[in-house]
Amino acid sequence: MAEAERIIGTPDIPEAEHGADGGQDAEGGQDTEGAQKPTGKRKIAVLFGVALVAYALDLVSKMVVVAKLEHHEPIDVVGDLLRFNAIRNAGAAFGMGEAYTIIFTVIAAGVIVVIARLARKLYSLPWAIALGLLLGGALGNLTDRIFRSPGVFKGAVVDFIAPKGFAVFNLADSAIVCGGILIVLLSFRGLDPDGTVHKD
């Protein structure tokens, strides 16, 4: 529509009407009619709801694994392709960086703080789900690092999902990875957490 008006010309309209109709304002400002603004309610409840579910599933699964599977033989779930094998991991996700447990603990705490602050301007449902997964996963592994042996902020994370030829992980790791992938996809689509869409 704007392109057609540029070609054929626009009729003379008083400046006051421009401002009222969302075109140029009386001072010659830019047309803001097409600007997308956040609409609806913030998605804080969705974020924390998803985080709570992810955290609860991770916590319950680890409690069952520690009580029923730790110090026992692995359980084959899908032949030798997938088994449950309880281990303690002092490193990051998938067993990486075991010498830096405290650093990973600080990073996880930092992620939680950043997500909590970002929630104040969260209007996008997909972003709420993605950040909820990240928050729930970070809380799940942070709980292990605080409360499990060998000590506070040095605790080893309980991992038990063991695909053949891959590192052993847990539900918190899965939530973090899924949330991260979703954030990458949303970024490629140009969708921001506040619900606006931008095109580069």
Side-chain angles (χ1 to χ4, degrees), residues 105-191:
T105 303
V106 173
I107 292 174
V111 168
I112 293 170
V113 172
V114 170
I115 293 174
R117 290 175 61 88
L118 188 59
R120 294 179 300 176
K121 56 178 182 179
L122 183 63
Y123 287 87
S124 167
L125 179 60
W127 268 98
I129 294 173
L131 293 176
L133 289 171
L134 283 181
L135 180 59
L139 284 171
N141 283 339
L142 184 61
T143 299
D144 281 0
R145 298 192 188 283
I146 294 175
F147 295 106
R148 297 193 187 278
S149 60
V152 178
F153 300 120
K154 298 181 180 179
V157 174
V158 176
D159 289 335
F160 62 94
I161 304 173
K164 183 178 181 180
F166 195 71
V168 184
F169 58 97
N170 56 43
L171 294 183
D173 296 332
S174 300
I176 291 171
V177 171
C178 291
I181 292 174
L182 182 54
I183 287 175
V184 171
L185 294 176
L186 293 173
S187 299
F188 272 119
R189 293 188 59 186
L191 179 62

Side-chain angles (χ1 to χ4, degrees), residues 48-62:
F48 288 110
V50 172
L52 180 61
V53 171
Y55 177 69
L57 290 175
D58 179 68
L59 186 63
V60 171
S61 67
K62 288 173 179 175

Side-chain angles (χ1 to χ4, degrees), residues 4-81:
E5 290 179 352
R6 185 185 68 80
I7 295 174
I8 66 176
T10 55
D12 294 330
I13 300 176
E15 288 183 356
E17 290 185 21
H18 274 286
D21 294 338
Q24 280 194 321
D25 58 27
E27 297 178 1
Q30 294 296 319
D31 187 350
T32 59
E33 183 178 4
Q36 297 187 31
K37 298 181 180 180
T39 58
K41 296 182 179 179
R42 287 183 294 179
K43 308 300 181 183
I44 298 177
V46 175
L47 187 158
F48 288 110
V50 172
L52 180 61
V53 171
Y55 177 69
L57 290 175
D58 179 68
L59 186 63
V60 171
S61 67
K62 288 173 179 175
M63 292 174 61
V64 173
V65 166
V66 170
K68 302 294 184 180
L69 186 57
E70 199 168 34
H71 308 305
H72 291 78
E73 291 296 320
I75 298 176
D76 292 333
V77 179
V78 184
D80 62 347
L81 297 177

Side-chain angles (χ1 to χ4, degrees), residues 74-91:
I75 298 176
D76 292 333
V77 179
V78 184
D80 62 347
L81 297 177
L82 177 65
R83 59 177 53 183
F84 289 158
N85 180 26
I87 66 169
R88 296 293 181 107
N89 171 24

